[in-house]
Amino acid sequence: MTARLLSRLAGALLAASTLVACGLGTAGGFVPTGELAGPLQSVEPLDGASISVGSKNFSEALLLGKMAVILLRSAGADVTDLTNIPGSASARQAQLEGQVDLQWEYTGTAWIAYLGHEEPIPDERGQYEAVRDEDLRENGLVWLPPAPMNNTYGFAATSANAQRLGVASLSDIANIPVPERTFCVESEFANRNDGLQPMLETYGIPLGSGVPRENIRTLDTGAIYEATARGDCNFGEVFTTDGRIEALDLTVLEDDRKFFPIYNVAVVVREETLTENPQIAELFAPVSRKLTDETLIELNGRIDVDGQEPAEVAYDWLVQEGFVE
């Protein structure tokens, strides 16, 4: 074994131990694999490459993370599965420190939460290129071409509540009585630069006056959908490609003042890793192009509504699309 491989192996073990020591329990578990097929058959094998894959800990991130694990292993790489890291900040830090070599990330999250900009770029291509260029220059992270999907934040109400209150957009919330302005959000969203407080200010209902603090309930991400469907709050924070929106008959309110950034997802790779293994770009390109809003809503629904495992859903879709056999 070469010194470089020994070093990478030690780094992978250190990453895993550090993540566990910091309470960042990762998914691990069995992940199916296969052989590259169809448009990926011509990709040069990654035999001998050692690559650690991370992800955040919500369904779509796990789905995409497992997809990356499957693709890289099917290409011959030795993959360390570090998916299921709690929180954007922890996942990002793991990659900045070199514990994670590759993970999917969202352009809006990077621009606002990681790179510290206050205003999103409304043009989809412009937002991606700005993130791509700054993150490479400042952090040595390479953003591969993004998927067409846009999993932005939104607020949803039950169809019955939306009709009862007469709300179709976020601006309409300012027209309803203050006691009806109740929100269910996750703790991370409550503290983000593109999260709850600036959103309320944008829509003229600032926290504390327009929306009393006691009107806010903080829940785990997965619990928000059910709580909103039960009527525990009138407006629940959602991801717009989540399969539970349709399954629970929720209505997403229009972001008519365009507060939320565009959140196209893309594979982000450490520059050193991509330089050593340039075929990674070719491996993910056709897969990314297939990831539309409609595709992610369906796949997320298989996890959150039907109860399937993210790795199972990822593998089945890759086989269905002819990328793996």
Coordinates of all heavy atoms in Angstrom, one line a residue, residues 105-136 143-147 149-150 152 192 194 258-266:
E105 N -24.8 19.6 -2.6 CA -25.1 20.8 -1.8 C -26.0 21.7 -2.7 O -26.1 21.5 -3.9 CB -23.8 21.5 -1.5 CG -23.9 22.6 -0.5 CD -24.7 22.3 0.8 OE1 -25.9 22.5 0.7 OE2 -24.1 21.8 1.7
Y106 N -26.6 22.6 -2.0 CA -27.6 23.5 -2.7 C -27.0 24.9 -2.9 O -26.3 25.5 -1.9 CB -28.9 23.6 -1.8 CG -29.5 22.3 -1.7 CD1 -29.2 21.4 -0.6 CD2 -30.5 21.9 -2.6 CE1 -29.8 20.2 -0.5 CE2 -31.2 20.6 -2.4 CZ -30.8 19.8 -1.4 OH -31.4 18.6 -1.3
T107 N -27.2 25.5 -4.0 CA -26.6 26.8 -4.4 C -27.0 27.9 -3.4 O -26.2 28.7 -3.0 CB -26.9 27.2 -5.8 OG1 -28.4 27.1 -6.0 CG2 -26.3 26.2 -6.8
G108 N -28.3 27.9 -3.1 CA -28.8 29.0 -2.2 C -28.2 28.9 -0.8 O -27.9 29.9 -0.2
T109 N -28.1 27.6 -0.3 CA -27.5 27.4 1.1 C -26.0 27.9 1.1 O -25.6 28.6 2.0 CB -27.5 26.0 1.4 OG1 -28.9 25.5 1.5 CG2 -26.9 25.7 2.8
A110 N -25.3 27.6 0.0 CA -23.9 28.0 0.0 C -23.8 29.5 -0.1 O -23.0 30.1 0.6 CB -23.2 27.4 -1.2
W111 N -24.6 30.2 -1.0 CA -24.5 31.6 -1.2 C -24.8 32.4 0.1 O -24.1 33.3 0.5 CB -25.4 32.0 -2.3 CG -25.3 33.4 -2.7 CD1 -26.2 34.4 -2.6 CD2 -24.1 34.0 -3.4 NE1 -25.8 35.6 -3.1 CE2 -24.5 35.4 -3.6 CE3 -22.9 33.6 -3.8 CZ2 -23.6 36.3 -4.2 CZ3 -22.0 34.5 -4.4 CH2 -22.4 35.8 -4.6
I112 N -25.9 32.0 0.8 CA -26.4 32.8 1.9 C -25.7 32.3 3.2 O -25.1 33.1 4.0 CB -27.9 32.7 2.1 CG1 -28.6 33.2 0.8 CG2 -28.4 33.4 3.3 CD1 -28.4 34.6 0.5
A113 N -25.8 31.0 3.5 CA -25.4 30.5 4.8 C -23.9 30.2 4.9 O -23.3 30.4 6.0 CB -26.1 29.1 5.1
Y114 N -23.2 29.8 3.8 CA -21.8 29.5 3.9 C -20.9 30.7 3.5 O -19.9 31.0 4.1 CB -21.5 28.3 3.0 CG -22.2 27.0 3.3 CD1 -22.4 26.1 2.3 CD2 -22.8 26.8 4.6 CE1 -23.1 24.9 2.6 CE2 -23.5 25.6 4.9 CZ -23.6 24.7 3.9 OH -24.3 23.5 4.1
L115 N -21.3 31.3 2.4 CA -20.5 32.4 1.9 C -20.9 33.8 2.4 O -20.2 34.8 2.1 CB -20.5 32.4 0.3 CG -20.0 31.1 -0.3 CD1 -20.1 31.1 -1.8 CD2 -18.5 30.8 0.1
G116 N -22.0 33.8 3.1 CA -22.3 35.0 3.9 C -22.9 36.2 3.2 O -22.9 37.3 3.7
H117 N -23.5 35.9 2.0 CA -24.2 37.0 1.3 C -25.6 37.2 1.8 O -26.3 36.2 2.1 CB -24.2 36.7 -0.2 CG -22.8 36.6 -0.8 ND1 -22.0 37.7 -1.1 CD2 -22.0 35.5 -1.1 CE1 -20.9 37.3 -1.6 NE2 -20.8 36.0 -1.5
E118 N -26.1 38.4 1.8 CA -27.4 38.7 2.3 C -28.5 38.6 1.3 O -29.6 38.2 1.6 CB -27.4 40.1 3.0 CG -26.5 40.2 4.2 CD -26.7 41.6 4.9 OE1 -27.5 42.4 4.3 OE2 -26.0 41.8 5.9
E119 N -28.1 38.9 0.0 CA -29.1 38.9 -1.0 C -28.9 37.7 -2.0 O -27.8 37.6 -2.5 CB -29.1 40.2 -1.8 CG -29.4 41.4 -0.9 CD -30.9 41.4 -0.4 OE1 -31.7 40.9 -1.2 OE2 -31.1 41.9 0.7
P120 N -29.9 36.9 -2.3 CA -29.8 35.9 -3.3 C -29.7 36.5 -4.7 O -30.1 37.6 -4.9 CB -31.0 35.0 -3.1 CG -32.1 36.0 -2.6 CD -31.3 36.9 -1.7
I121 N -29.2 35.7 -5.6 CA -29.2 36.1 -7.0 C -30.3 35.4 -7.7 O -30.4 34.2 -7.7 CB -27.8 35.7 -7.7 CG1 -26.7 36.4 -7.0 CG2 -27.9 36.0 -9.2 CD1 -25.3 36.0 -7.5
P122 N -31.3 36.2 -8.2 CA -32.5 35.6 -8.7 C -32.4 34.8 -10.0 O -33.2 33.9 -10.2 CB -33.5 36.8 -9.0 CG -32.5 38.0 -9.1 CD -31.3 37.7 -8.2
D123 N -31.3 35.0 -10.7 CA -31.1 34.2 -11.9 C -30.5 32.9 -11.6 O -29.4 32.8 -10.9 CB -30.2 35.0 -12.9 CG -29.8 34.2 -14.1 OD1 -30.7 33.9 -14.9 OD2 -28.7 33.8 -14.2
E124 N -31.1 31.8 -12.0 CA -30.6 30.5 -11.6 C -29.2 30.2 -12.0 O -28.3 29.7 -11.2 CB -31.5 29.4 -12.2 CG -31.3 28.0 -11.8 CD -32.4 27.1 -12.4 OE1 -33.5 27.0 -11.8 OE2 -32.1 26.4 -13.4
R125 N -28.8 30.5 -13.3 CA -27.5 30.3 -13.8 C -26.5 31.2 -13.1 O -25.4 30.8 -12.7 CB -27.4 30.5 -15.3 CG -26.1 30.2 -15.9 CD -25.8 28.7 -15.9 NE -24.4 28.3 -16.2 CZ -23.9 27.1 -16.2 NH1 -24.7 26.1 -15.9 NH2 -22.7 26.9 -16.6
G126 N -26.9 32.5 -12.9 CA -26.1 33.4 -12.2 C -25.7 33.0 -10.8 O -24.6 33.2 -10.3
Q127 N -26.8 32.5 -10.1 CA -26.5 32.1 -8.7 C -25.5 30.9 -8.7 O -24.6 30.9 -7.8 CB -27.9 31.6 -8.1 CG -27.8 31.1 -6.7 CD -27.6 32.2 -5.7 OE1 -28.5 32.7 -5.1 NE2 -26.3 32.6 -5.5
Y128 N -25.7 29.9 -9.5 CA -24.8 28.8 -9.6 C -23.3 29.3 -9.9 O -22.4 28.9 -9.2 CB -25.2 27.8 -10.6 CG -24.1 26.8 -11.0 CD1 -23.7 25.8 -10.1 CD2 -23.4 26.9 -12.2 CE1 -22.6 25.0 -10.4 CE2 -22.4 26.0 -12.5 CZ -22.0 25.1 -11.6 OH -21.0 24.2 -11.9
E129 N -23.2 30.1 -10.9 CA -21.8 30.5 -11.3 C -21.2 31.3 -10.2 O -19.9 31.2 -10.0 CB -21.9 31.3 -12.6 CG -22.3 30.4 -13.8 CD -22.4 31.2 -15.1 OE1 -22.3 32.4 -15.1 OE2 -22.5 30.5 -16.1
A130 N -21.9 32.2 -9.5 CA -21.3 33.0 -8.4 C -20.8 32.1 -7.3 O -19.8 32.3 -6.7 CB -22.4 34.0 -7.9
V131 N -21.7 31.1 -6.9 CA -21.3 30.1 -5.9 C -20.0 29.3 -6.3 O -19.1 29.1 -5.6 CB -22.4 29.2 -5.5 CG1 -22.0 28.0 -4.7 CG2 -23.5 30.0 -4.8
R132 N -20.1 28.8 -7.6 CA -19.0 28.0 -8.1 C -17.7 28.7 -8.1 O -16.7 28.2 -7.6 CB -19.4 27.6 -9.6 CG -18.3 26.8 -10.3 CD -18.5 26.9 -11.8 NE -18.4 28.2 -12.3 CZ -18.7 28.6 -13.5 NH1 -19.2 27.7 -14.4 NH2 -18.5 29.9 -13.9
D133 N -17.7 29.9 -8.5 CA -16.4 30.7 -8.6 C -15.9 31.1 -7.2 O -14.7 30.9 -7.0 CB -16.7 31.9 -9.5 CG -17.0 31.6 -10.9 OD1 -16.8 30.5 -11.3 OD2 -17.5 32.5 -11.6
E134 N -16.8 31.5 -6.3 CA -16.3 32.0 -5.0 C -15.9 30.8 -4.2 O -14.8 30.9 -3.5 CB -17.4 32.8 -4.3 CG -16.9 33.4 -3.0 CD -17.9 34.4 -2.4 OE1 -18.7 34.9 -3.1 OE2 -17.8 34.6 -1.2
D135 N -16.6 29.7 -4.2 CA -16.2 28.6 -3.3 C -14.9 27.9 -3.8 O -14.2 27.4 -3.0 CB -17.4 27.5 -3.3 CG -17.6 26.9 -1.9 OD1 -17.0 27.4 -1.0 OD2 -18.4 26.0 -1.8
L136 N -14.7 27.9 -5.1 CA -13.4 27.4 -5.6 C -12.3 28.3 -5.2 O -11.2 27.8 -4.7 CB -13.5 27.2 -7.1 CG -12.2 26.7 -7.8 CD1 -11.8 25.4 -7.2 CD2 -12.3 26.7 -9.3
W143 N -17.7 22.9 -7.7 CA -19.1 22.7 -7.9 C -19.3 22.2 -9.3 O -19.0 22.9 -10.3 CB -19.9 24.0 -7.7 CG -20.1 24.3 -6.3 CD1 -19.1 24.8 -5.4 CD2 -21.3 24.3 -5.6 NE1 -19.7 25.0 -4.2 CE2 -21.0 24.8 -4.2 CE3 -22.7 24.0 -5.9 CZ2 -22.0 24.9 -3.3 CZ3 -23.6 24.1 -4.9 CH2 -23.3 24.5 -3.6
L144 N -19.7 20.9 -9.5 CA -20.0 20.3 -10.8 C -21.4 20.9 -11.3 O -22.1 21.5 -10.5 CB -20.1 18.8 -10.7 CG -18.8 18.1 -10.2 CD1 -19.0 16.6 -10.2 CD2 -17.6 18.5 -11.1
P145 N -21.7 20.8 -12.5 CA -23.0 21.4 -13.1 C -24.2 21.0 -12.3 O -24.3 19.8 -11.9 CB -23.0 20.9 -14.5 CG -21.6 20.7 -14.9 CD -20.9 20.2 -13.6
P146 N -25.1 21.9 -12.0 CA -26.2 21.6 -11.1 C -27.3 20.8 -11.8 O -27.4 20.8 -13.0 CB -26.7 23.0 -10.7 CG -26.4 23.8 -12.0 CD -25.1 23.3 -12.5
A147 N -28.2 20.2 -11.0 CA -29.4 19.6 -11.4 C -30.5 20.6 -11.7 O -30.4 21.7 -11.1 CB -29.9 18.6 -10.4
M149 N -33.5 20.6 -10.7 CA -34.4 20.7 -9.6 C -34.1 21.9 -8.7 O -33.0 22.4 -8.6 CB -34.4 19.4 -8.7 CG -33.0 19.1 -8.1 SD -32.6 20.1 -6.6 CE -33.7 19.3 -5.4
N150 N -35.1 22.5 -8.1 CA -35.0 23.6 -7.2 C -35.7 23.3 -5.9 O -36.9 23.6 -5.8 CB -35.5 24.9 -7.8 CG -35.4 26.1 -6.9 OD1 -34.6 26.1 -5.9 ND2 -36.3 27.1 -7.1
T152 N -36.3 24.6 -2.9 CA -36.2 25.8 -2.0 C -37.1 25.6 -0.8 O -37.9 24.7 -0.7 CB -36.6 27.1 -2.8 OG1 -36.3 28.2 -2.0 CG2 -38.1 27.1 -3.1
R192 N -31.2 30.7 10.5 CA -30.5 30.9 9.2 C -30.6 32.4 8.7 O -31.6 33.0 9.0 CB -31.0 30.0 8.1 CG -30.6 28.5 8.3 CD -31.4 27.7 7.3 NE -30.9 28.0 5.9 CZ -30.1 27.2 5.2 NH1 -29.7 26.0 5.7 NH2 -29.8 27.5 4.0
D194 N -31.1 33.0 5.7 CA -32.2 33.0 4.8 C -33.4 32.3 5.4 O -34.2 31.7 4.7 CB -31.8 32.3 3.5 CG -31.3 30.8 3.8 OD1 -31.0 30.5 4.9 OD2 -31.1 30.1 2.8
K258 N -40.3 36.8 -3.6 CA -39.0 36.2 -4.0 C -38.0 36.2 -2.9 O -36.8 36.5 -3.2 CB -38.5 36.8 -5.3 CG -39.5 36.8 -6.4 CD -40.0 35.4 -6.8 CE -41.0 35.5 -8.0 NZ -41.6 34.2 -8.3
F259 N -38.4 35.9 -1.7 CA -37.4 36.0 -0.6 C -36.4 34.8 -0.6 O -35.2 35.0 -0.5 CB -38.1 36.0 0.8 CG -37.2 35.8 1.9 CD1 -36.4 36.8 2.4 CD2 -37.1 34.5 2.6 CE1 -35.5 36.6 3.4 CE2 -36.2 34.3 3.6 CZ -35.4 35.3 4.1
F260 N -37.0 33.6 -0.8 CA -36.1 32.4 -0.7 C -35.2 32.3 -1.9 O -35.6 32.5 -3.1 CB -36.9 31.2 -0.6 CG -37.7 31.1 0.8 CD1 -39.1 31.1 0.8 CD2 -37.0 31.0 1.9 CE1 -39.7 31.1 2.0 CE2 -37.6 31.0 3.2 CZ -39.0 31.0 3.2
P261 N -33.9 32.0 -1.7 CA -33.0 31.8 -2.8 C -33.3 30.6 -3.6 O -34.2 29.7 -3.3 CB -31.6 31.6 -2.1 CG -31.8 32.1 -0.7 CD -33.3 31.9 -0.4
I262 N -32.7 30.5 -4.8 CA -32.8 29.3 -5.6 C -31.9 28.2 -5.0 O -30.7 28.5 -4.7 CB -32.4 29.6 -7.1 CG1 -33.4 30.6 -7.7 CG2 -32.3 28.4 -7.9 CD1 -33.0 31.3 -9.0
Y263 N -32.4 27.0 -4.9 CA -31.7 25.9 -4.3 C -31.5 24.8 -5.3 O -32.1 23.7 -5.1 CB -32.3 25.4 -3.0 CG -32.3 26.4 -1.9 CD1 -33.2 27.4 -1.7 CD2 -31.3 26.3 -0.9 CE1 -33.2 28.3 -0.6 CE2 -31.2 27.2 0.2 CZ -32.2 28.2 0.3 OH -32.2 29.0 1.3
N264 N -30.7 25.0 -6.4 CA -30.4 23.9 -7.2 C -29.3 23.1 -6.5 O -28.5 23.6 -5.8 CB -29.8 24.4 -8.6 CG -30.8 25.2 -9.4 OD1 -30.6 26.3 -9.7 ND2 -31.9 24.5 -9.8
V265 N -29.4 21.8 -6.7 CA -28.5 20.9 -6.0 C -27.3 20.5 -7.0 O -27.6 20.4 -8.2 CB -29.2 19.6 -5.5 CG1 -29.5 18.6 -6.6 CG2 -28.3 18.9 -4.4
A266 N -26.1 20.4 -6.5 CA -25.0 20.0 -7.3 C -24.0 19.2 -6.5 O -24.0 19.3 -5.3 CB -24.3 21.3 -7.9

